[in-house]
Amino acid sequence: MEFVIAKSGGFCRGVKKAVDTALTIDPTNTYIYGEIIHNPDVVQSITERGIVMVEDLDLVPSGATLIIRSHGVGKAVYEYCEKKNIQVVDCTCEFVRRTQKIVDEQYQAGKTIIIVGEKTHPEVVGLNGWCEGKAFVFSSEDDDFSILPEKECCIVAQTTYSAEKFEKIIKNITNIYQKTVAIFKTICYTTIGRQNEAEELSKQCDAVLVIGGLNSSNTNKLYDICAKNCPNVFRLSKAADLEYKKIKRFKKVGIVTGASTPNAQTQEVLLKMEMETEAKVTSMEEVVANMDNQPKFKKGQLITATISSADDSGVAVLLPLAKKEIILDKDEVDCEVYNKDDFNAKTGEEIELMVVGINPVKLSQKQIKQIKEEEAAIAEIQAGKEFEVVCTGFNKGGLTAEFGSYTVFVPAREIRSGYVKELDKYVGKKLRLRLIELKTERRKEIIASQRVIIEEEKAAKEAAKAAKEAEFFASIHVDDVVEGKVERVTSFGAFVSVNGFDCLAHISDLSWTGVKAVTDVLEIGKKYEFKVLKIDEEAKKVSIGYKQLQAQPWDLAAEKYAEGDVIHGKVVRIVPFGAFVEVEKGIDGLVHVSQISYEFLENPTTALTIGQEIDAKILKLDCVEKKMTLSIKALEPKPENLERKPRAPKAEDGEVKEKVRKPRAQKPADEVTEWNEGGLGGVSIADLLNKNS
């Protein structure tokens, strides 16, 4: 038994884009409007990631992400999403989008819109949404076309519709329709190619297997085409549907796959057939080659060709066993500037080429050089050299990429240190890798690690940092004066780079007079000199000060002030014995209560308030003790006939009362006698009185 696989199979470009997007996008709060493709296995793998499939837009919350599948949607969906603040990830197929634009423009021009396709298919529903749902949809050449209105019309087709049926419907419409008909053949060229392949393959084979989702429109079209030419056509959605006993009697079996069929499903069918039979699997390219009686070539094969001639398009060469010349395109010649005369002079000489394409055969000399360069690069990688790739995908085990003709796999545990949960975030990012294992037996594959590079660099960085810190602490001492650059500031101080090490200058060590913000003294990016205050090598901390290298205000006071000078200052605090006046930042002088006014003051607050600005005379200046005595009254004329008021006593309630001296109370005679006896040696008062009289 021989199996022949159609050349065009698996995901088309639009479907691949949509599926890849759904498999790599962040699934958090992400929705898909309908099945992304008509394939249950693919849909399940996407929903298992946490992406929600909805048929009703009301189920999509505001702020969510909505994936528009390749079938496309109507205009109203975009308007709804914009109104509800839903982020749209549009995966509409480029051919579908082109058809949508045609429908929109023709409808705006006032024409009747005719869509040829399946009325309930999501693509057709979406197209109808670009003409307010007023399109006429026909799916058969036997439909009633008399219902069309008498005005100009525009005809488009579902991109996956049968090209043969489309032509029949167009013919029937134009035969009975009297108005102008604008026909747009919008069937996707890949769809047409698949249908033509299915047509040819089904004519050559005894039986055909059509693989794809049972609800896939394009796959069903392929089935219909094959059924017309071959009486034994079997529909499969997956490998489990294959019953070998039904096909074992056929000598030649064709395999056709739909645009929504993953390659993995086709491979599963082939694997099952290989297990149950010794069937030979042949590609469509080989079938065509055999039909043309051409020698068989394989992609990547190196062959020796003979130069026949050369012209402006390239070099004509003869291949072994080939009956005709093949052109080596000038762009595939390994030379800086192509010159046909150089090759015409080498007619009959042999040249080594690589087969880069089959049916028709395509050759390249340039790619041999690329392969040799790739082999040299692989040799360096095997020797331990680091290499870079861009991540193109992922699976449950890790990340995937490509390096020339090699596939690259990075296991999840080798991406970085620790567990990596969201592999999809690495897609499109550059990876720095080192070889773990090189496989070339069945396919060329590189197993690599990024983690080892990251860990090595981290260890090297830490070792360098430790060595630099040791050198730093060996060279610095308390009271050293060092130069440092202010790197960043906080509310509590500035971090200053001293020989590459971060030291802290606390805000309290920036100015003798105190500051509210670090930037009042230091500027980020500038260099200053600091004094080392404290070193803690164990904790890796160094404290430095800026003010310690600056003169204190009292150190300069003797140069600025002298006794007898008049200063202008501000009252900063008041105490019972006087008031302190700020002469300048860091220098305060005391005005004693007696020096505030010539009048007697019970309390300084009766004459002064905090914040009040005054002039005063320096009575005494002691810079060593940091003391300055001031007088306000010394700057005022002394009043004439100034009487000093006695201090009035205060009652407990604070009111001033007149002081009244009370006469001392006389003691009783017996008490006096007793006191006299004790204090006057027995002499009585009466005796003293008599004596005096």
Side-chain angles (χ1 to χ4, degrees):
M1 182 184 294
E2 178 185 4
F3 287 98
V4 183
I5 306 173
K7 178 182 176 183
S8 300
F11 288 164
C12 66
R13 186 163 61 185
V15 170
K16 187 177 186 304
K17 175 187 175 183
V19 173
D20 287 349
T21 299
L23 289 174
T24 56
I25 196 171
D26 184 354
T28 306
N29 201 24
T30 301
Y31 296 76
I32 295 177
Y33 192 29
E35 287 187 348
I36 195 155
I37 59 172
H38 295 140
N39 188 292
D41 293 339
V42 175
V43 171
Q44 182 180 353
S45 65
I46 292 171
T47 54
E48 284 177 351
R49 296 188 68 232
I51 297 177
V52 182
M53 187 187 75
V54 296
E55 297 290 349
D56 186 352
L57 284 178
D58 290 335
L59 299 177
V60 182
S62 178
T65 298
L66 182 67
I67 299 174
I68 302 297
R69 54 190 173 177
S70 58
H71 298 121
V73 293
K75 185 189 294 186
V77 174
Y78 295 98
E79 295 171 350
Y80 178 87
C81 291
E82 183 177 1
K83 184 178 180 181
K84 283 198 65 177
N85 192 31
I86 296 172
Q87 182 183 353
V88 172
V89 177
D90 197 349
C91 296
T92 303
C93 168
E94 58 185 281
F95 293 101
V96 176
R97 188 178 288 111
R98 171 176 168 267
T99 309
Q100 290 174 346
K101 185 178 180 182
I102 293 171
V103 171
D104 186 29
E105 292 176 350
Q106 295 294 313
Y107 180 72
Q108 297 298 329
K111 295 183 180 179
T112 296
I113 303 300
I114 299 173
I115 301 174
V116 177
E118 299 170 17
K119 191 168 187 176
T120 58
H121 192 277
E123 180 188 328
V124 176
V125 173
L127 291 174
N128 206 358
W130 289 87
C131 59
E132 299 180 350
K134 297 180 179 179
F136 290 86
V137 181
F138 299 110
S139 58
S140 171
E141 63 268 29
D142 298 325
D143 286 344
D144 182 10
F145 303 110
S146 63
I147 61 174
L148 293 172
E150 286 295 322
K151 66 174 185 177
E152 294 183 358
C153 70
C154 156
I155 303 178
V156 297
Q158 177 184 329
T159 57
T160 57
Y161 199 69
S162 166
E164 182 182 356
K165 285 187 177 181
F166 181 62
E167 293 296 334
K168 290 180 179 179
I169 291 174
I170 290 174
K171 184 177 180 181
N172 288 350
I173 291 176
T174 53
N175 284 341
I176 66 170
Y177 205 63
Q178 302 301 318
K179 297 292 182 180
T180 302
V181 178
I183 301 170
F184 295 89
K185 297 184 178 182
T186 56
I187 297 176
C188 169
Y189 71 84
T190 57
T191 298
I192 295 174
R194 289 172 192 266
Q195 292 175 359
N196 290 339
E197 260 192 71
E199 181 89 26
E200 292 299 322
L201 192 61
S202 59
K203 291 178 180 178
Q204 300 171 20
C205 297
D206 304 317
V208 179
L209 304 180
V210 180
I211 307 172
L214 298 180
N215 58 341
S216 169
S217 174
N218 71 84
T219 309
N220 289 333
K221 299 292 189 306
L222 296 176
Y223 176 86
D224 293 341
I225 292 170
C226 292
K228 285 194 315 176
N229 303 299
C230 180
N232 305 300
V233 181
F234 302 91
R235 190 75 163 79
L236 310 176
S237 63
K238 52 185 178 298
D241 297 339
L242 175 64
E243 295 183 42
Y244 174 65
K245 62 182 181 181
K246 290 185 177 181
I247 62 171
K248 66 179 182 179
R249 59 190 176 90
F250 302 114
K251 292 182 179 181
K252 194 173 186 179
V253 178
I255 298 177
V256 176
T257 57
S260 56
T261 306
N263 288 333
Q265 286 189 349
T266 305
Q267 291 170 356
E268 287 175 3
V269 173
L270 293 175
L271 181 61
K272 185 174 181 180
M273 288 189 297
E274 288 179 0
M275 292 173 64
E276 296 186 4
T277 177
E278 296 180 354
K280 175 186 175 184
V281 179
T282 308
S283 67
M284 193 64 181
E285 290 93 332
E286 291 174 324
V287 173
V288 175
N290 288 332
M291 290 170 59
D292 293 340
N293 294 319
Q294 291 287 339
K296 295 180 181 179
F297 298 107
K298 294 182 180 179
K299 255 186 176 182
Q301 178 182 355
L302 294 178
I303 57 175
T304 301
T306 303
I307 298 175
S308 177
S309 62
D311 57 22
D312 292 334
S313 64
V315 182
V317 296
L318 282 172
L319 302 183
L321 304 178
K323 295 181 178 180
K324 59 182 180 180
E325 296 176 339
I326 295 178
I327 298 296
L328 169 64
D329 191 274
K330 66 177 182 179
D331 293 331
E332 294 298 327
V333 176
D334 185 17
C335 61
E336 292 184 6
V337 179
Y338 173 73
N339 187 336
K340 63 181 180 181
D341 295 334
D342 292 340
F343 287 92
N344 281 322
K346 298 178 182 179
T347 301
E349 293 183 11
E350 293 184 340
I351 182 174
E352 188 179 32
L353 301 174
M354 176 183 286
V355 178
V356 295
I358 299 173
N359 188 31
V361 175
K362 292 183 179 180
L363 304 171
S364 174
Q365 184 188 34
K366 188 179 292 183
Q367 288 194 31
I368 295 178
K369 181 180 179 181
Q370 294 174 356
I371 292 296
K372 290 181 178 179
E373 289 175 349
E374 180 180 280
E375 289 174 352
I378 292 296
E380 291 180 340
I381 290 173
Q382 286 180 294
K385 184 179 179 180
E386 176 184 323
F387 65 102
E388 292 183 347
V389 297
V390 175
C391 178
T392 56
F394 66 97
N395 52 43
K396 291 182 179 180
L399 307 177
T400 58
E402 293 179 356
F403 184 84
S405 61
Y406 285 77
T407 59
V408 179
F409 179 67
V410 183
R413 66 179 179 277
E414 297 296 335
I415 298 172
R416 60 174 174 79
S417 299
Y419 175 70
V420 179
K421 183 179 180 181
E422 298 175 323
L423 297 174
D424 55 320
K425 290 189 176 180
Y426 284 85
V427 176
K429 293 185 177 180
K430 186 179 290 185
L431 302 174
R432 298 169 55 214
L433 304 173
R434 188 167 293 149
L435 178 71
I436 296 177
E437 182 181 0
L438 184 70
K439 296 182 178 181
T440 56
E441 296 80 16
R442 297 184 62 184
R443 59 176 182 172
K444 297 194 291 185
E445 184 178 27
I446 297 172
I447 311 297
S449 171
Q450 181 173 250
R451 176 180 59 83
V452 293
I453 296 175
I454 295 173
E455 290 179 349
E456 285 177 2
E457 290 180 344
K458 182 180 178 182
K461 189 175 181 181
E462 290 176 350
K465 181 181 178 183
K468 192 172 183 180
E469 286 177 352
E471 181 182 356
F472 173 80
F473 281 104
S475 64
I476 195 167
H477 309 87
V478 173
D479 293 332
D480 283 354
V481 176
V482 297
E483 184 182 67
K485 181 181 178 183
V486 180
E487 296 291 350
R488 61 191 188 280
V489 300
T490 66
S491 60
F492 56 85
F495 286 94
V496 181
S497 176
V498 178
N499 294 330
F501 187 86
D502 271 0
C503 304
L504 174 64
H506 196 272
I507 192 169
S508 62
D509 289 314
L510 299 183
S511 173
W512 292 108
T513 58
V515 291
K516 292 183 178 179
V518 174
T519 50
D520 291 343
V521 179
L522 304 177
E523 185 177 337
I524 296 175
K526 277 197 172 184
K527 292 182 177 180
Y528 302 88
E529 286 191 335
F530 298 85
K531 186 175 183 179
V532 179
L533 305 179
K534 184 180 179 182
I535 298 174
D536 188 345
E537 186 172 355
E538 185 176 347
K540 307 299 181 188
K541 292 182 180 179
V542 175
S543 298
I544 56 177
Y546 179 75
K547 73 179 184 181
Q548 285 77 6
L549 299 179
Q550 314 303 318
Q552 297 188 45
W554 279 104
D555 295 338
L556 304 174
E559 299 175 11
K560 297 182 179 180
Y561 308 104
E563 293 180 359
D565 288 352
V566 177
I567 60 88
H568 183 80
K570 181 172 65 176
V571 178
V572 290
R573 62 188 185 281
I574 299 175
V575 294
F577 57 86
F580 287 92
V581 176
E582 184 186 70
V583 179
E584 67 176 61
K585 281 284 186 181
I587 298 180
D588 287 352
L590 173 64
V591 182
H592 193 270
V593 66
S594 63
Q595 294 297 324
I596 297 175
S597 174
Y598 283 100
E599 294 183 359
F600 174 78
L601 299 178
E602 192 72 29
N603 192 305
T605 56
T606 60
L608 298 174
T609 58
I610 293 176
Q612 179 180 348
E613 294 187 1
I614 57 95
D615 290 326
K617 184 177 183 180
I618 300 175
L619 299 182
K620 185 177 180 181
L621 179 63
D622 188 344
C623 295
V624 176
E625 294 296 326
K626 300 180 181 179
K627 292 181 179 180
M628 182 185 289
T629 304
L630 304 173
S631 174
I632 297 174
K633 74 178 186 179
L635 300 178
E636 300 176 355
K638 185 176 181 180
E640 297 179 3
N641 302 322
L642 179 67
E643 293 184 2
R644 185 177 178 86
K645 294 181 181 180
R647 181 177 295 179
K650 290 186 179 180
E652 291 182 358
D653 58 1
E655 294 182 2
V656 179
K657 294 187 177 181
E658 185 178 353
K659 187 173 183 182
V660 179
R661 185 180 297 273
K662 294 182 180 180
R664 182 177 296 174
Q666 293 185 349
K667 292 185 179 181
D670 57 342
E671 291 184 8
V672 174
T673 302
E674 184 180 354
W675 181 82
N676 286 338
E677 290 176 351
L680 299 176
V683 180
S684 68
I685 295 178
D687 292 339
L688 291 174
L689 291 173
N690 290 332
K691 186 177 181 180
N692 291 334
S693 64

